[in-house]
């Protein structure tokens, strides 16, 4: 399994059947580190959708218990090998990266309080892509197109996906459309 991309680089690769197991291993490690502070830990993003082309980076999300101390959590995650990339007010998360080499990100970890709107959006989008093959195919085609357009600009690549992801979230029954940034 080949995981990781240099910061700012964009490459969308064929789905790797090892991604779910890699995510499960990371989730088990995070449960051991965060213990009762984590209400839930989920594999999100395109690597969580079997058969979908994706950037070779595992996306995970952690919902923190109301009693969790964010600074204690940040220190524990740093000790476990995650780099604190700071809070993103537009999303409502605190972002951490795990590196597989100098400037090579292998894992993106989103940490939010339990009940955060972004949490529900990430799960809604993931579950829609897992269950709606035509939406998943359309999204994969968009990602491949954007990766070709912006091979060294991950921000433009991500902005190019934002409208599509928002549309998925809004069109999914029972979803609150005001749910933060993409997964």
């Amino acid at each position: 399994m080949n995981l990781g991309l240099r910061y700012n680089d964009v490459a969308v690769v064929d789905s790797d059947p090892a991604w779910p197991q890699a995510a499960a291993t990371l989730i088990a490690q995070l449960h051991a580190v965060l213990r009762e502070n984590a209400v839930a830990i989920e594999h999100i993003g395109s690597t969580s959708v079997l058969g979908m082309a994706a950037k070779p980076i595992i996306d995970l999300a952690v919902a923190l218990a109301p009693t969790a101390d964010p600074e204690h959590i940040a220190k524990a995650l740093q000790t476990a090998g995650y780099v604190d990339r700071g809070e993103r007010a537009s999303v409502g998360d605190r972002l951490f990266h795990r590196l597989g080499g100098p400037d090579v990100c292998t894992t993106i970890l989103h940490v939010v309080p339990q009940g955060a709107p972004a949490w529900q959006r990430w799960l809604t989008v993931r579950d829609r892509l897992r269950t709606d093959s035509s939406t998943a195919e359309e999204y994969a085609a968009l990602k491949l197109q954007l990766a070709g357009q912006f091979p060294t600009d991950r921000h433009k690549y991500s902005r190019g996906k934002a409208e599509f992801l928002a549309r998925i979230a809004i069109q999914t029954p029972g979803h609150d459309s005001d749910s933060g940034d993409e997964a």
Side-chain angles (χ1 to χ4, degrees):
M1 174 179 58
N2 223 355
L3 262 185
L5 284 176
R6 289 198 173 283
Y7 281 116
N8 220 26
D9 285 355
V10 178
V12 175
V13 302
D14 289 338
S15 179
D16 187 327
W19 287 339
Q21 183 55 50
T25 299
L26 290 165
I27 288 169
Q29 292 168 352
L30 287 166
H31 274 297
V33 168
L34 300 175
R35 296 187 300 267
E36 70 280 351
N37 291 303
V39 174
I41 304 173
E42 292 284 340
H43 184 195
I44 61 171
S46 295
T47 60
S48 71
V49 181
L50 290 177
M52 177 172 275
K55 293 188 320 292
I57 298 173
I58 303 292
D59 280 286
L60 302 173
V62 175
L64 293 179
T67 56
D69 174 9
E71 293 311 311
H72 171 76
I73 296 302
K75 287 177 184 166
L77 289 171
Q78 288 169 349
T79 300
Y82 289 84
V83 177
D84 188 348
R85 303 290 290 181
E87 293 187 21
R88 298 186 306 166
S90 64
V91 180
D93 69 347
R94 187 161 179 174
L95 198 63
F96 295 84
H97 289 173
R98 188 170 197 152
L99 304 180
D103 297 324
V104 176
C105 180
T106 61
T107 307
I108 298 174
L109 179 64
H110 306 267
V111 178
V112 295
Q114 181 181 20
W119 176 266
Q120 185 57 49
R121 179 171 184 198
W122 294 325
L123 298 184
T124 297
V125 169
R126 179 201 63 193
D127 293 348
R128 172 80 181 272
L129 292 170
R130 284 178 171 176
T131 59
D132 183 341
S133 61
S134 65
T135 299
E137 289 169 12
E138 186 180 353
Y139 184 48
L142 174 63
K143 291 188 309 170
L144 287 166
Q145 173 197 344
L146 291 167
Q149 282 181 276
F150 307 112
T152 59
D153 192 332
R154 197 163 311 161
H155 292 291
K156 286 183 181 176
Y157 168 83
S158 294
R159 279 195 304 267
K161 299 184 311 177
E163 183 179 324
F164 185 90
L165 292 168
R167 182 169 46 91
I168 291 173
I170 291 169
Q171 291 176 348
T172 302
H175 174 70
D176 172 10
S177 63
D178 184 25
S179 296
D181 198 25
E182 62 162 309

